[in-house]
Amino acid sequence: MTDGSRDDTPERADPIPALRDPDRLRSLAETRLTAAPDEAFDRFARLVGDLLDVPVALVSLVDAERQFFPGEVGLARPWAARRQTPLSHSFCQHVVDLGTPMVLPDARLHPALRDNLAVPELGVVAYAGMPLTDLEGRVLGSLCAIDDKPRDWTAEQLRTLADLAAACSSELRLRIALEGAEQARRRAEEANGRLELLAGLAGTLAGTLDVATALRRLRDTMVPLLADWSLVTLVGPDGAPRDVTAAHRDPARAPDVARFAELMRTGLSPDSITRAVLRTGRPVLGSAATLADVRRGTIGPEMPEIAARLGFSSHLSVPITDAGRVLGCITLINGPQRRHFDDSDLLIAEDIGRRAGQAIGNSRMYGEQRHVAHVLQHSMLPRLPVTDDLELAARYQPAADRVEVGGDWYDAFRQPGGELIAAIGDVAGHDIEAAATMGQLRNLVRGNAYGRPDAVDKLMSRLDETIRGLRIPAAATATLVRLRADDAGGQRVTWCNAGHPAPLVVRAGGTVEVLAGTPEPLLGLNRPVRRTSRHAHLATGDTLLLYTDGLIERRDRSIDEGMTELVARLGGTDRLPLGEFCDLLLTAAPHREDDVALLAVRAI
């Protein structure tokens, strides 16, 4: 508060509405700060004390009932130990209320604050408080300087306090952001919960080495969400139970349930429900069951005795299936204190069985795909040539992490005469098939261009003819570039573009030039297409950027808008090392919807 125009007091009957704003309180809670000391905020308080030469400085956060001080210097006992006060002792609540700085040379002369208990009990006479805000501008508290005698605050002191409050607000926002990220992580884990394994089981089982671990996670997910205890059984080559894992909602029952799982491998009779499910692939629902069901399915007395201790009054068993094959069985059991299973539970369990079966069946195939993808991607990423007059850098980022390869590609190689051929292209799709077509196309570019002095438009036309003649099913775009040293000390650039995004040049000095021209059709059309060569020049320090449309294309915007954003992002990047230059482009939008390939060439 900066003047005495308000006649209400801190002890008024009506609480300040801003203090109880739920969004503000949620933001305050997300800082995870309390009345305990925090070194970062104690440092802010010390800086205020030293720079403004005041005996007391506080980082004061205000909730609906109190103010507390994660940062404090100079408070007298007992407040220094408590690091909090009720609102009856708070000036900072009024900073929250007004959302502006409050500067008081002498609070004892202020009609609204002179009766505040902070004056006699905390010795607050002169007060200067700057708002501490979150990213939405909500005021969480105040960074304040306090003197026990009247004081005329100078403009320089208030400016220093405002600068420190801005930095302190940044620290609060960082704490909130970190807590937000942690909350998001916890919410995701809770939301996935039981279905996390089922939705991503193929990835969990990649390479099959994690099958046992994944099944244990599946088992644990079902308990206690679906049942008091559960068993997951996988069959061996002979169709008999081989691997069995079990869990019970009561950790004290872990030895019993582990022993029951162990006996499942050797103690089942031909009449057991598990064997029946494994043999027929049909589920079994025992809505109301007794230990007699266990006795009929076992060959000794131990399993019924354990089942009695674990609780057995309702059960259901469903097959784990994939492509018609029975891979195992899931069994859910409830004790007498829980409701009996019904048809809705059976439907859920059957879905779990199908999902688990698909994941197990897919795991080996996925491992094979990953190996193929790795080989294809390795082939797609050539070793860039090292030259005295050009520096090259490239990046590739797939859209789909699982496949790890797509149809985007780049290439660069030296001609026998020393010229550099650079190319970039995009085959429709981002899967193994697109990658295979990409590999063919990239090899055709090399075969057609290496050792030939032809202009790039002629090389592109020959590529068209080859694709058409060999009937390669490619819907692809490409840019082909030749760079040749010229007498001016730079590089003469000649390029031909077949339906691909226009190359860019980042000039030394930071300006960006789009190497545009009349659009030409993509590669692989059934009719001949006239191709055109275009020319540009790279001076020392200029960077030529070739890229695929994943860098500029998103569902929520046009390609033109994406190009405008890319050009703006490239401005002033001419001094970046070439590797950092490429990394900047990829990290600007990490969650891309399409593959991205980059090839940057800088004249040196």
Side-chain angles (χ1 to χ4, degrees):
M1 189 181 304
T2 57
D3 59 49
S5 60
R6 298 183 62 166
D7 58 5
D8 51 336
T9 69
E11 292 74 34
R12 62 192 175 188
D14 296 330
I16 296 173
L19 299 186
R20 300 184 180 276
D21 173 40
D23 291 332
R24 192 191 77 87
L25 292 174
R26 182 166 52 252
S27 192
L28 186 63
E30 287 173 354
T31 66
R32 297 185 66 83
L33 293 168
T34 67
D38 184 285
E39 176 57 31
F41 293 102
D42 275 343
R43 189 178 300 117
F44 278 109
R46 290 195 297 269
L47 284 171
V48 171
D50 293 342
L51 295 176
L52 273 67
D53 191 24
V54 290
V56 177
L58 304 173
V59 176
S60 174
L61 302 180
V62 186
D63 63 23
E65 306 294 338
R66 60 168 185 159
Q67 63 179 358
F68 56 96
F69 315 128
E72 174 274 329
V73 64
L75 276 180
R77 294 180 180 178
W79 309 108
R82 296 175 183 171
R83 282 187 174 247
Q84 62 179 337
T85 76
L87 295 180
S88 58
H89 295 63
S90 174
F91 283 15
C92 297
Q93 63 180 315
H94 301 291
V95 177
V96 175
D97 184 25
L98 297 175
T100 58
M102 186 169 73
V103 180
L104 303 172
D106 189 340
R108 297 171 300 182
L109 303 179
H110 196 288
L113 293 171
R114 62 192 175 196
D115 294 327
N116 190 294
L117 295 181
V119 176
E121 296 191 20
L122 274 70
V124 180
V125 176
Y127 175 92
M130 297 291 170
L132 298 175
T133 60
D134 64 9
L135 276 174
E136 285 71 36
R138 292 182 284 259
V139 182
L140 307 183
S142 170
L143 179 65
C144 58
I146 297 170
D147 206 335
D148 56 4
K149 56 184 181 296
R151 182 175 189 142
D152 290 325
W153 303 98
T154 68
E156 181 180 358
Q157 289 174 329
L158 296 178
R159 185 168 58 250
T160 298
L161 188 60
D163 289 343
L164 290 172
C168 191
S169 294
S170 296
E171 178 67 20
L172 287 171
R173 294 166 185 171
L174 176 60
R175 303 292 181 95
I176 293 169
L178 291 173
E179 173 61 13
E182 178 62 19
Q183 286 182 4
R185 185 190 66 78
R186 289 196 298 265
R187 285 195 299 268
E189 289 179 351
E190 292 168 1
N192 289 335
R194 179 174 62 88
L195 296 179
E196 179 188 25
L197 173 67
L198 305 177
L201 203 55
T204 304
L205 299 176
T208 72
L209 294 177
D210 296 325
V211 171
T213 300
L215 291 179
R216 284 195 297 271
R217 291 179 59 196
L218 171 62
R219 169 206 72 188
D220 294 339
T221 298
M222 295 185 293
V223 174
L225 293 177
L226 294 180
D228 285 338
W229 53 296
S230 69
L231 300 157
V232 180
T233 304
L234 291 184
V235 297
D238 59 354
R242 182 187 65 184
D243 300 314
V244 184
T245 181
H248 195 282
R249 67 180 303 156
D250 183 357
R253 293 297 180 186
D256 275 341
V257 78
R259 176 59 180 164
F260 194 94
E262 182 182 352
L263 292 171
M264 287 277 291
R265 300 182 186 92
T266 58
L268 297 181
S269 73
D271 296 329
S272 76
I273 293 171
T274 298
R275 284 189 178 273
V277 172
L278 295 175
R279 183 173 60 251
T280 66
R282 292 194 295 268
V284 174
L285 171 62
S287 181
T290 67
L291 290 176
D293 297 326
V294 182
R295 294 189 187 98
R296 281 192 301 270
T298 61
I299 58 177
E302 188 176 0
M303 291 182 76
E305 293 171 359
I306 296 174
R309 294 196 295 270
L310 295 174
F312 191 93
S313 63
S314 181
H315 66 87
L316 63 83
S317 296
V318 296
I320 299 173
T321 58
D322 177 54
R325 295 180 300 136
V326 177
L327 306 180
C329 175
I330 295 173
T331 300
L332 304 178
I333 304 108
N334 275 341
Q337 304 303 318
R338 190 161 178 167
R339 70 172 180 85
H340 292 172
F341 292 113
D342 56 23
D343 289 338
S344 64
D345 297 312
L346 183 62
L347 289 175
I348 293 173
E350 287 183 304
D351 182 61
I352 292 172
R354 284 190 295 268
R355 290 172 181 255
Q358 290 169 0
I360 294 170
N362 288 340
S363 60
R364 186 164 297 160
M365 180 176 64
Y366 174 60
E368 294 171 355
Q369 287 183 339
R370 289 188 66 187
H371 174 71
V372 172
H374 177 76
V375 172
L376 286 174
Q377 184 171 351
H378 181 75
S379 172
M380 184 192 64
L381 302 177
R383 179 175 295 180
L384 298 177
V386 178
T387 69
D388 294 333
D389 54 352
L390 293 170
E391 181 186 1
L392 289 85
R395 297 290 187 272
Y396 176 79
Q397 179 174 285
D401 292 338
R402 291 184 174 226
V403 177
E404 297 182 342
V405 73
D408 291 23
W409 60 277
Y410 62 83
D411 199 5
F413 55 90
R414 281 288 192 184
Q415 293 283 51
E419 298 173 350
L420 181 78
I421 296 292
I424 197 158
D426 185 358
V427 176
H430 42 265
D431 52 22
I432 298 295
E433 293 180 4
T437 304
M438 170 275 299
Q440 289 181 285
L441 187 59
R442 177 175 164 268
N443 287 336
L444 286 176
V445 170
R446 284 201 164 201
N448 278 329
Y450 185 77
R452 294 179 180 270
D454 308 44
V456 289
D457 60 318
K458 302 300 182 184
L459 295 175
M460 192 73 85
S461 294
R462 186 176 295 110
L463 184 61
D464 267 328
E465 294 171 4
T466 305
I467 294 172
R468 194 163 52 247
L470 296 179
R471 300 181 182 275
I472 297 174
T477 65
T479 297
L480 188 63
V481 182
R482 173 182 275 114
L483 294 98
R484 176 186 303 164
D486 60 20
D487 296 336
Q491 298 284 329
R492 176 177 171 79
V493 180
T494 309
W495 82 94
C496 181
N497 191 329
H500 201 76
L504 300 174
V505 175
V506 180
R507 300 292 182 186
T511 61
V512 181
E513 180 181 342
V514 181
L515 301 185
T518 304
E520 296 185 4
L522 74 167
L523 292 167
L525 299 183
N526 291 328
R527 56 180 174 79
V529 175
R530 181 180 178 83
R531 299 298 183 185
T532 306
S533 292
R534 296 179 174 85
H535 307 280
H537 181 265
L538 290 186
T540 300
D542 291 349
T543 302
L544 172 69
L545 175 64
L546 307 179
Y547 56 96
T548 56
D549 59 5
L551 191 64
I552 57 175
E553 188 175 35
R554 280 207 321 252
R555 296 177 193 172
D556 59 349
R557 69 180 185 192
S558 68
I559 288 183
D560 289 341
E561 291 173 325
M563 175 66 83
T564 300
E565 180 183 311
L566 175 60
V567 170
R569 195 185 314 139
L570 288 172
T573 59
D574 56 301
R575 294 183 180 276
L576 287 177
L578 206 56
E580 293 183 19
F581 173 86
C582 293
D583 291 338
L584 173 67
L585 296 177
L586 291 184
T587 56
H591 303 295
R592 299 200 175 274
E593 300 164 359
D594 198 3
D595 306 336
V596 178
L598 304 175
L599 177 60
V601 184
R602 178 172 292 170
I604 56 177

